[in-house]
Amino acid sequence: MTLVVAIDRSNTEDGKDIISILNNICNMVAGVKLGMPLLLKHDLNLLSNIRKICRNNLIIDLKLADIGEVMVETVELFKNYADAVIAHSFIGKNGALDKLKNYLDENNMKLILVGSMSHKGSEEIYDKEIGNIIKLIKDINPWGIVLPATRPEIIKVFRRELGNEIKILSPGVGVQGARPGSALCYGADYEIIGRSIMNSPDPKEATKVLIYEQKRGMYECKK
Ligand code: O7M
């Protein structure tokens, strides 16, 4: 499976709309990534309910960027639910990502680091530091990294430098402009897709179509 669904909001107070969508698409996706607006709006009951129906990778997208102790304290709140958490890489190792990685390893959780982002502004800082970011990622050895489908040449560079062990998760497909399958073509393992599924009148059908398009995109790029 090559699609991670991003859920950033719900339209109901109890999040039942999300549960109903996940009931329909859970068996088609490799993971579920929950974003900050959703996490701040709902209590942990929603996570527990999501967990009951969707046993695949639950990724908590906190985009952490703090000192180690505070990041650990934050993740502790989610440790009974999350399989993986996302942190920024630019904060560095010493006193930050080293502590977070140790904590996650001890608690059997995966670390996913942001290596570059899908919006244009990522070129201003993240992409100027690509050498340092790759060095840090080699040093920390996270389970996965996030790289933009909107600038897939970046994916190629990281993949070449890092080899195949670290998973690459790539947002920017659909609403942000990249075509399904394009990031996979450049070496990503998963495409993170949110609104094209969650805002669709028929999320199940939208997911099916996106998966079909991913496959077609990958076939085209191998030709
Ligand atoms: O498909 P979308 O555009 O509705 O959603 C994309 C999701 O990917 C959304 O949850 C964003 O927070 C996330 N994302 C980006 O869009 N760009 C990035 O550079 C990084 C992320 C992300 O997931 O970072 C961990």
Side-chain angles (χ1 to χ4, degrees), residues 166-187:
I166 296 179
K167 304 286 181 209
I168 296 178
L169 299 89
S170 191
V173 170
V175 176
Q176 295 184 54
R179 280 192 307 124
S182 56
L184 300 173
C185 246
Y186 279 76

Side-chain angles (χ1 to χ4, degrees), residues 7-138:
I7 309 178
D8 290 302
R9 64 191 300 268
S10 70
N11 293 318
T12 60
E13 284 310 307
D14 55 7
K16 282 221 171 92
D17 54 331
I18 285 168
I19 297 294
S20 138
I21 292 174
L22 283 178
N23 258 323
N24 281 317
I25 66 168
C26 200
N27 62 342
M28 293 188 273
V29 299
V32 178
K33 183 183 83 78
L34 304 180
M36 284 291 254
L38 187 85
L39 295 168
L40 290 172
K41 183 174 170 190
H42 295 278
D43 60 26
L44 293 170
N45 260 333
L46 180 64
L47 267 69
S48 157
N49 288 335
I50 290 176
R51 207 74 182 126
K52 281 182 202 143
I53 55 162
C54 235
R55 291 305 306 175
N56 34 17
N57 268 331
L58 190 60
I59 303 168
I60 305 296
D61 185 4
L62 300 161
K63 290 199 185 65
L64 295 164
D66 212 323
I67 56 169
E69 291 85 346
V70 175
M71 292 195 289
V72 165
E73 195 100 10
T74 311
V75 173
E76 180 91 25
L77 299 169
F78 297 95
K79 99 169 169 206
N80 295 331
Y81 310 95
D83 296 300
V85 295
I86 300 180
H88 272 292
S89 59
F90 63 75
I91 56 174
K93 176 183 175 185
N94 207 339
L97 290 174
D98 52 357
K99 294 195 170 159
L100 179 63
K101 178 69 163 46
N102 283 343
Y103 173 85
L104 293 173
D105 284 349
E106 280 164 13
N107 288 281
N108 283 322
M109 283 191 272
K110 297 168 183 143
L111 174 62
I112 300 172
L113 290 178
V114 176
S116 172
M117 296 189 71
S118 57
H119 63 298
K120 197 76 183 130
S122 186
E123 291 174 21
E124 295 162 20
I125 296 179
Y126 253 128
D127 293 0
K128 285 195 175 133
E129 292 299 326
I130 196 164
N132 283 326
I133 302 279
I134 288 173
K135 214 159 84 190
L136 175 109
I137 286 168
K138 281 183 180 164

